Amino acid sequence: MNTNRLSKTIEAALNAQITKEAHASQIYLSFAAWASSQGYAGIANFLFKHAHEERNHMMKILEYILKRGAKVEVTSIPNPPENPLNLYNCFEKVFGQEVENTKAIYKVVKKSHEEGDWATWNFLQWFVNEQVEEETLAMNLLDKIKIAGGENMSNMAQYSFDRDIENTSQEITPAQDVTTANP
Ligand code: FEO
């Protein structure tokens, strides 16, 4: 009896998303190493933590595929891009990478909708929300850098940004999810 509860299309799309999340993790890892080598300890710490978060996303999908009785395919991960040129460029690339990941997730959501695979559609809503948070976080950091001078940030502004980001939460709670218990 076939106990695989995912179609071949969804199985392949989710496996491709595993590789995308792993790639995202490698990008954050390489940017974190770059930030550390430039002396930005706070930014490096933030990016290292985020690399870990992306790996968790990968695991979440991997576990879902297994739970649905389907086959996990672990593949090679593409190389991360070139190191950023400066802080502004670093967060520009971070934002761009998150937008690309959102597009990839939307494609899988669309496929699950077309197939009426509501379990997968429902599972993916977590990722849809997560991408809103991640894009917002990257956008906010990019805005801060722009205000602080963008590509021409002074050393003092870079120092302050690095110190501030050390304490930046990895999560943003969207206003619609705010409650009195979780302000
Ligand atoms: Fe797993 Fe940043 O998306």
Side-chain angles (χ1 to χ4, degrees), residues 7-56:
S7 72
K8 282 288 156 214
T9 312
I10 297 289
E11 188 181 68
L14 288 173
N15 272 303
Q17 193 58 35
I18 284 187
T19 309
K20 287 214 160 53
E21 300 292 343
H23 185 222
S25 180
Q26 295 295 86
I27 293 173
Y28 278 104
L29 201 60
S30 76
F31 287 6
W34 167 81
S36 183
S37 72
Q38 302 296 304
Y40 303 126
I43 294 162
N45 187 36
F46 175 88
L47 295 169
F48 276 128
K49 278 196 277 186
H50 210 97
H52 192 70
E53 202 174 295
E54 295 296 352
R55 206 181 148 72
N56 285 345

